[in-house]
Amino acid sequence: MAKTLYKMSSIIFIMFFFSLLLLGNSHTFSRNLSKESLDLKEEKLAHLHFYFHDVVTGPNATAYRVAQATITNTSATGFGAVVVLDNALTEGPNLSSKLVGRAQGIYALAALNESSLLMVLNFEFIEGVYNGSTLTILGRNPVFSPVREMPIVGGIGVFRFSRGYVQAKTFFFDMKTGYTVVEYNVYVLHY
Ligand SMILES: *[C@@H]1O[C@H](CO)[C@@H](O)[C@H](O)[C@H]1NC(C)=O
Ligand SMILES: *[C@@H]1O[C@H](CO)[C@@H](O)[C@H](O)[C@H]1NC(C)=O
Ligand SMILES: *[C@@H]1O[C@H](CO)[C@@H](O)[C@H](O)[C@H]1NC(C)=O
Ligand SMILES: *[C@@H]1O[C@H](CO)[C@@H](O)[C@H](O)[C@H]1NC(C)=O
Ligand SMILES: *[C@@H]1O[C@H](CO)[C@@H](O)[C@H](O)[C@H]1NC(C)=O
Ligand SMILES: *[C@@H]1O[C@H](CO)[C@@H](O)[C@H](O)[C@H]1NC(C)=O
């Protein structure tokens, strides 16, 4: 009995191996798949809430200006400045509260007559089931509006095929150092 089982499983294994070889050799550029084949079941709506820390000065800065335009210094809105960041995302508003991820990306001062940023951010999470998953945000951020909404353009890990939006609210701003804490509410559909 055990012997036949062993035989059968080796036959199945060999068949599987050769079908892989065949697939590899057929050079198929495209094919239609069922959602089930990628284990895509029910779409879920998740709400994530955390705080984003934009530390722009001091020894622990996580956001640095890397470029500017010829008019940046004389522009009332700092037009043309580009900042690269690797900012902490924490559960509570205090930088010392639990780290849930990081925001890595770029923002650029992209409005001539108002304070508005172009945001290009990857949120990489390290918390719970979201550990290792990322969301990509690309949007317009008029920083003095009470609530700024930006689209989620996609994600990886548990956020594959995701779509949705984020809402950003300034929670704390220090005029002297430029340190800003931004509260994020994320609404994301994913499988
Ligand atoms: C995928 O499905 C579409 C719509 O049914 C069909 O037109 C197309 O030919 C299919 N593509 C392949 C590669 O089978
Ligand atoms: C920078 O970070 C270190 C290590 O976390 C901390 O001890 C120090 O107080 C921080 N400095 C400032 C200015 O926040
Ligand atoms: C803008 O100001 C900074 C420092 O204040 C200076 O280093 C830089 O050269 C200036 N840039 C231009 C284009 O004037
Ligand atoms: C953040 O936490 C630190 C250490 O627990 C504390 O010293 C500091 O006052 C807190 N900051 C704010 C803004 O609550
Ligand atoms: C900015 O404001 C000035 C003065 O109000 C105006 O002349 C100019 O057209 C505006 N530029 C843009 C891009 O809105
Ligand atoms: C997240 O995943 C990394 C790599 O798999 C692992 O080292 C780490 O302990 C995980 N963190 C948490 C909070 O689960």
Side-chain angles (χ1 to χ4, degrees), residues 133-155:
S133 294
T134 72
L135 282 175
T136 300
I137 281 85
L138 177 67
R140 179 175 177 273
N141 183 0
V143 293
F144 293 122
S145 299
V147 182
R148 290 89 68 184
E149 202 162 289
M150 291 173 275
I152 292 168
V153 297

Side-chain angles (χ1 to χ4, degrees), residues 22-81:
L22 279 175
L23 269 180
N25 284 337
S26 63
H27 302 295
T28 318
F29 168 62
S30 76
R31 60 196 170 118
N32 288 331
L33 295 178
S34 67
K35 281 186 166 184
E36 291 69 36
S37 69
L38 287 186
D39 208 22
L40 302 176
K41 291 176 193 128
E42 209 153 303
E43 203 172 29
K44 297 179 276 288
L45 174 62
H47 172 215
L48 311 179
H49 179 253
F50 49 82
Y51 294 84
F52 166 103
H53 298 266
D54 200 34
V55 184
V56 294
T57 55
N60 296 337
T62 55
Y64 293 84
R65 185 185 284 204
V66 296
Q68 59 193 343
T70 48
I71 68 157
T72 303
N73 283 354
T74 50
S75 162
T77 61
F79 182 81

